[in-house]
Amino acid sequence: MQHQIIWPCQPYCVPLDEKMLPQLMKEAGYDTHMVGKWHLGMYMKDCLPTHRGFDTYFGYLTGSEDYFSHVRCSPISVLNLTRCALDLREGEEVATGYKGAYSTELFTNRVVNIIAKQDPRKPFFLYVALQAVHAPLQVPERYVAPYGFIKDHHRRLYAGMVSAMDEAVGNITLALQEKGLWNNTVLVFSTDNGGQTLSGGSNWPLRGRKWSLWEGGVKGVGFVASPLLKQPGTVSHGLIHISDWLPTLVGLAGGRTNDTKPLDGFNVWNSISKGFASPRLELLHNIDPRYIDIASCPGRDSQLTLAEMVSEGSWSNSGFNVSIHAAIRSSNWKLLTGYPGCDVWFPRPGQNSSGSSTSKKDHLKPVMLFDIEKDPEERNEVSEQFPTVVEFLLSRLHHHQRSSVPITFPDDDPRCDPGPTGAWGPWA
């Protein structure tokens, strides 16, 4: 799944032989609930959340749907049409009757209800994947009203959506406290990627945006709140990857990961709770030979082609194909190859967009090295000064590529079409 996302009509999901986090939590004796966005494939019933370890599920299976109608419009290329259909499920059944309910509030109300009904004697794992903040930019006017001073329309809506999300997190936390569960709860709040500048997001002062390998695309914000933290109120600067949550949370729950496939993640609880050094020293951002940027980049007439990227350069004969869109982090070093995606430093919100700066075409080299600790904005490319570091990181990319599986990105299946009155869901 290193290439793009799973689109509504692709016959694919997370492979069924992969044991997922909720399955391991169930094995550890936990009730498991999910509310919100799934987006891990749904062409077969076996792919659905309630077949992958969750006792209950309420949410949507794809992405980017309308926040009020819960309708997702998606092109079906093989049928040469665009289909708009409901995408909301209660367990495995289509959930109707929620038109007009704003998804952030709808999902939060369901979470609060789950908490209220939870047996306090039984541990539980609750995964809440709120739709906010994501395109389309939609929010009730009462959340936008305080932000009249923000001139940019997209940014103003975005701010209102963040406020709605913030209120949701507060309401969920309050529900846990009122139920008497907070003192034995660990709450993890995290994003899955950098902000999308095309839809109100900002990664200032970092470079790039969502769908790129620059820090603005891959550095996510998050926090952990819990009375169980040994050193609360601290900031962790260690490397943590999304794959680390599984062994961390399963370990915290007293579960086991012995019968999973080999894991890439580390148990980082001591890093989070006690301030210990992270056990993770390396982080593979991606290796995607089929990368295509989703939109034009300001200051560029077109996306660079792979041929343009490798026409010159001393690393073109290395063991790793440096035309490939890839990035890897090791300690303070970050290496990028190929075209990493839109390379703009987008301006601080509220500043004139003419302040956007981009490197000239000739300045994007097929191999780039940055010292992220000293240069988090990726402005000072240092591959020529540290050729040994480049050689090592290229060898690591080569190592990871040799053990990778082929990209699965199937063509649309025409059987996905829910018809004019149907709903998105399994068809195979």
Side-chain angles (χ1 to χ4, degrees), residues 133-146:
V133 176
H134 193 287
L137 300 181
Q138 297 173 317
V139 65
E141 179 58 32
R142 66 182 179 278
Y143 292 109
V144 181

Side-chain angles (χ1 to χ4, degrees), residues 194-195 197 202-219 297 300 334 336 339-347 357-361 363-365 368-370 372 375-381:
T197 58
S202 172
N203 305 301
W204 182 88
L206 302 179
R207 189 177 191 177
R209 64 187 181 200
K210 179 181 176 179
W211 289 69
S212 82
L213 291 175
W214 303 106
E215 288 295 281
V218 300
K219 185 172 184 178
C297 185
R300 292 195 181 282
K334 179 180 176 184
L336 302 101
Y339 176 57
C342 187
D343 58 312
V344 168
W345 289 276
F346 291 91
S357 61
T358 180
S359 59
K360 298 297 183 182
K361 181 174 179 178
H363 290 173
L364 270 188
K365 300 191 293 187
M368 292 173 283
L369 180 70
F370 297 92
I372 296 299
D375 179 29
E377 298 177 25
E378 296 169 296
R379 293 182 180 272
N380 184 28
E381 200 283 308

Side-chain angles (χ1 to χ4, degrees), residues 13 26 59 64 140 147 153-154 175 177-178 207 227 245 265 269 280 283 298 318 321 335 351 378 385 410-411 413:
C13 67
K26 277 186 69 67
S64 303
Y147 299 106
H153 178 64
H154 283 176
Q177 293 169 340
E178 291 180 341
R207 189 177 191 177
W245 288 124
W269 179 247
R280 175 175 290 282
L283 195 159
S318 68
N321 182 352
L335 184 85
Q351 293 184 347
E378 296 169 296
Q385 293 95 304
D411 293 334
D413 184 338

Side-chain angles (χ1 to χ4, degrees), residues 90-272:
E90 177 86 56
E92 298 176 21
E93 302 301 319
V94 177
T96 59
Y98 294 100
K99 184 177 182 180
Y102 185 59
S103 73
T104 303
E105 298 172 330
L106 177 64
F107 294 151
T108 303
N109 290 339
R110 176 56 60 94
V111 172
V112 170
N113 187 51
I114 290 172
I115 293 170
K117 293 181 178 180
Q118 179 65 33
D119 182 349
R121 298 167 297 180
K122 187 76 181 292
F124 71 103
F125 170 66
L126 177 55
Y127 174 50
V128 183
L130 293 174
Q131 187 173 357
V133 176
H134 193 287
L137 300 181
Q138 297 173 317
V139 65
E141 179 58 32
R142 66 182 179 278
Y143 292 109
V144 181
Y147 299 106
F149 63 92
I150 298 178
K151 296 180 180 179
D152 182 84
H153 178 64
H154 283 176
R155 191 67 183 167
R156 189 162 62 249
L157 287 174
Y158 192 97
M161 295 170 75
V162 171
S163 286
M165 179 185 66
D166 182 63
E167 181 180 281
V169 175
N171 288 339
I172 293 170
T173 305
L174 180 61
L176 289 165
Q177 293 169 340
E178 291 180 341
K179 186 70 175 180
L181 301 173
W182 179 249
N183 287 338
N184 198 35
T185 292
V186 174
L187 186 150
V188 177
F189 179 94
S190 179
T191 185
D192 57 350
N193 46 246
Q196 179 50 275
T197 58
L198 299 169
S199 302
S202 172
N203 305 301
W204 182 88
L206 302 179
R207 189 177 191 177
R209 64 187 181 200
K210 179 181 176 179
W211 289 69
S212 82
L213 291 175
W214 303 106
E215 288 295 281
V218 300
K219 185 172 184 178
V221 296
F223 65 82
V224 177
S226 173
L228 303 178
L229 292 170
K230 301 301 182 184
Q231 292 187 11
T234 60
V235 177
S236 173
H237 296 282
L239 289 182
I240 296 179
H241 185 256
I242 190 170
S243 62
D244 297 330
W245 288 124
L246 186 148
T248 300
L249 297 178
V250 172
L252 194 60
R256 298 164 59 87
T257 59
N258 293 2
D259 59 345
T260 67
K261 287 186 175 183
L263 297 176
D264 295 315
F266 294 87
N267 186 333
V268 293
W269 179 247
N270 283 336
S271 304
I272 294 171

Side-chain angles (χ1 to χ4, degrees), residues 1-3 5-6 10-13 15 290 405-410:
M1 293 180 65
Q2 71 269 37
H3 179 70
I5 59 176
I6 299 177
Q10 288 185 302
Y12 182 59
C13 67
R290 298 177 59 181
V405 298
I407 289 173
T408 301
F409 195 72

